[in-house]
Amino acid sequence: MDDRRKFSRILFAASAHIEQTEQTWRTKILDLSLNGALVELPSGYTGQLNTIVTLAFVLPDSDIELQMQAAIVHKTPEHLGLKCVHIDVESISHLRRIIELNMGDAELLDRELNSLVTPTP
């Protein structure tokens, strides 16, 4: 993939679903970052690049659901690359914790989180 990534990705296998307009497709998350996710291409999904979808998943062994609105930034016959365009405060808090636990580097994660909220010149 692209070596210019600004956000650390963690492997994260979880069932999820993608919603677009009035339709829902089941998928699996393959990896996560503060800025998006890589998911399996859902069977029958025909969305194009830059389409906005909602990605939702429940944290394992809990009833906490995370949701993010994301744009499709790349698409292959097997995968969708999603870039987060909006996420609520509760979801980003849980996502931050998941990534922090998997990275083991809270300082690096804080820098990445700050880059999300600080405009790039």
Side-chain angles (χ1 to χ4, degrees):
M1 300 264 341
D2 193 335
D3 288 338
R4 296 175 293 151
R5 284 205 174 99
K6 296 179 183 175
F7 298 92
S8 298
R9 294 177 157 256
I10 61 163
L11 295 177
F12 188 82
S15 295
H17 61 273
I18 292 176
E19 299 172 7
Q20 181 184 336
T21 55
E22 303 277 324
Q23 294 185 291
T24 301
W25 295 266
R26 292 197 176 280
T27 188
K28 290 185 180 176
I29 297 174
L30 303 173
D31 68 37
L32 279 173
S33 77
L34 289 175
N35 199 38
L38 180 69
V39 301
E40 287 183 356
L41 180 67
S43 178
Y45 184 73
T46 59
Q48 300 301 311
L49 292 181
N50 301 314
T51 299
I52 303 296
V53 298
T54 299
L55 175 66
F57 62 98
V58 176
L59 293 179
D61 302 322
S62 78
D63 59 352
I64 299 170
E65 182 178 58
L66 279 70
Q67 290 189 8
M68 73 169 65
Q69 290 183 337
I72 299 172
V73 293
H74 74 266
K75 182 179 178 183
T76 71
E78 296 88 26
H79 304 112
L80 288 177
L82 305 176
K83 179 180 179 182
C84 182
V85 294
H86 175 76
I87 188 167
D88 63 77
V89 172
E90 187 174 337
S91 290
I92 193 69
S93 296
H94 290 296
L95 182 57
R96 181 192 187 284
R97 184 68 177 143
I98 292 166
I99 294 171
E100 179 180 30
L101 289 171
N102 282 277
M103 283 177 53
D105 188 344
E107 189 175 305
L108 174 61
L109 187 59
D110 286 338
R111 285 194 306 267
E112 291 180 2
L113 194 54
N114 283 334
S115 73
L116 279 176
V117 296
T118 305
T120 306

